Amino acid sequence: MSEEKDNTPGQSLISITDEMKKSYLDYAMSVIVSRALPDVRDGLKPVHRRILYAMIEGGYDWSKPYRKSARVVGDVMGNYHPHGDAAIYDSMVRMAQEFSMRLMLVDGQGNFGSIDGDPPAAMRYTESRLARSSESLLRDIDKDTIDFIPNYDESQLEPSVLPAEFPNMLVNGAGGIAVGMATNIPPHNPGEVIRACKALIKNQNTSLDELMEIIPGPDFPTAGLIMGRAGIREAFRTGRGSVIMRSKAEIIQTGKNLDRETIIISEIPYQVNKALVLEKIGDLIRDKTIEGISDLRDESDRNGMRIVIEIKRDVQGDVVLNQLWRHTRLQTSFPVNMLALDNGQPKQMGLIEILKAFIDFRFEVVTRRTKFLLNKSRNRAHILAGLMVAITSIDEVIELIKASSDPDNARKELCAKSWPAKEVAHFIKLIDEPDHQIVDDHYKLSVTQAKAILELRLQRLTGMERTKLEKETEELSNQIKEYLIILSDKTKLTDLIQNELNEVLTKIEDPRRTEISDSVVDHDDEDLIQKEDMVVTVSHRGYIKRVSLSTYRAQRRGGKGRAGMKMRDEDTVTSLFVTNTHTPIL
């Protein structure tokens, strides 16, 4: 049935097919733009952006006391994010987990979950505030650096993007499933990413190879190893690739005579659940998929991770480790898919494209901030010019105000009169706007200046206060000149951005955790087989039998012969030779 019929008079027929297409497309675009994909400029999805903005608006700064997480979630849900409280809290929890974020954006107090997959405590028990690194994402948000858009009920405004000072999308990564597309961006080292930005600002033609000398690859919060560089290069070049991650493992000699080997695992791949890995190893031991393990212990504590795997005597640790790589998530791959919103459009982006998009945004933010500060300084300077004119003619101003019938009349009279400005002409020329110049040593006050004069407190008429006004005027003059230079000179603007990147670098720089190995993962079947001497027997009837040499030599009490020689009735051994499990026979 393709049409829905309505017999109500005046109602037209609606095609179900057309309605489904339109409604589903609207839904798909909503998920893509407003939920699942991060913005390339600040690296945040709407829910994360709203959480950070609600926290700064509520005063939950890193320097303030912790607040109940339920309070933050309530602010976000009531003002900006009309979805479930569980979804908001889960997003906030992830931003406070050191094993999920390369640079935590929320500072949590209480149980925020663990790498073993333990769930966080309910939001009524935990407390949170902004992490210090979030300061660099939110700074200058009140200086007209970004556009604000109406919230869901149009009762207030929320930021469309945060004025980020570092490429958060690369630093913290992102993951999300939209409709018909998905994103999976690995985290990177904060210091390396900022240095790459600086290099690209200095030379826009910096090649991918040169950038990869600065950013050799992802840097996961759980450390571990990355095997090979081909997958990293492909991901950086095209935005898609696969990175093989491996646990950091060490084989040590143990036992009284150091005749046994033990595997110590101190780091595991990103987003791998430690408890599930241990459970999987236990299943493999029970199913006899891996037979060389005698004991398995988790000795992790607050000082770090330590998984102990004891190997049976006469079994090689290397072979067991290779079996663990093959059958468990101690070795896994990270499918890189760097898809993000660029100017509101979902776009597959390589490393250079992501960095350039951020740099363009940074230039826009600093330019808008400088214009805002320039206008603010000019407005203040304009008021100061009026105050200084009024102070030099204070007796006349007081007489005029006393003679006026009401404040409106006083304001009109102040604006209508030309005031002598010879004494303060030097300061007025320094700071005032072009359309308010001194003519014949006289100056016309604007409505804004007249209001400021009417609100002037008597204490501002003292000599000390006048000196303060003159000093503030000179400072504003210097500021205005500096802002005009920045806006007119691209080199000055670039230097300012580079200096600000240096400041952020000193605050968030952190040593690399993930080691990148040039060796490529390539396991043969032989790597999974223990080296062991075997006896192979071939019988007259064509039967081939393989027996461990140690079993073949065993002779039980009573001396009844060797088990390896037993054959079927009327069958005899025609060939017998000793070989190794790694020796090819056919």
Side-chain angles (χ1 to χ4, degrees), residues 222-275:
T222 53
L225 299 171
I226 292 176
M227 307 304 292
R229 299 177 187 267
I232 299 171
R233 181 177 175 76
E234 186 63 18
F236 281 176
R237 189 178 66 83
T238 65
R240 292 182 76 96
S242 183
V243 176
I244 296 175
M245 304 179 294
R246 182 181 276 186
S247 306
K248 193 168 186 179
E250 181 186 7
I251 299 175
I252 60 173
Q253 301 297 129
T254 55
K256 289 183 180 178
N257 301 316
L258 298 179
D259 56 348
R260 298 178 66 169
E261 292 184 330
T262 299
I263 299 170
I264 306 293
I265 292 170
S266 54
E267 297 166 2
I268 61 173
Y270 182 53
Q271 292 177 333
V272 168
N273 184 315
K274 175 162 66 72

Side-chain angles (χ1 to χ4, degrees), residues 52-112:
L52 296 179
Y53 182 63
M55 290 180 87
I56 196 72
E57 282 290 287
Y60 314 135
D61 197 14
W62 65 270
S63 58
K64 307 279 177 61
Y66 291 94
R67 298 288 184 182
K68 284 288 185 187
S69 298
R71 187 171 175 176
V72 179
V73 171
D75 290 348
V76 176
M77 185 165 58
N79 295 325
Y80 310 113
H81 200 68
H83 299 281
D85 57 343
I88 297 169
Y89 184 53
D90 286 347
S91 299
M92 191 175 82
V93 162
R94 188 179 180 278
M95 290 196 288
Q97 292 175 334
E98 62 180 358
F99 54 87
S100 294
M101 304 289 283
R102 188 61 185 80
L103 198 66
M104 289 192 297
L105 301 179
V106 171
D107 181 8
Q109 183 170 264
N111 173 17
F112 276 81

Side-chain angles (χ1 to χ4, degrees), residues 525-581:
D525 289 339
E526 286 183 13
D527 297 332
L528 307 175
I529 300 169
Q530 292 287 345
K531 277 191 176 181
E532 189 178 358
D533 289 331
M534 310 296 293
V535 174
V536 178
T537 57
V538 182
S539 75
H540 177 70
R541 288 189 173 186
Y543 288 100
I544 300 175
K545 188 174 184 181
R546 186 195 78 166
V547 182
S548 170
L549 186 59
S550 57
T551 304
Y552 188 82
R553 281 180 175 160
Q555 183 168 338
R556 302 194 191 284
R557 190 171 177 181
K560 292 186 178 178
R562 293 174 173 79
M565 291 293 290
K566 283 186 178 178
M567 291 288 152
R568 290 170 176 268
D569 293 341
E570 298 178 5
D571 196 5
T572 57
V573 174
T574 57
S575 301
L576 181 149
F577 52 94
V578 178
T579 184
N580 191 284
T581 49

Side-chain angles (χ1 to χ4, degrees), residues 165-181:
E165 291 185 323
F166 63 90
N168 180 57
M169 193 175 84
L170 282 175
V171 170
N172 276 320
I177 300 171
V179 178
M181 59 185 71

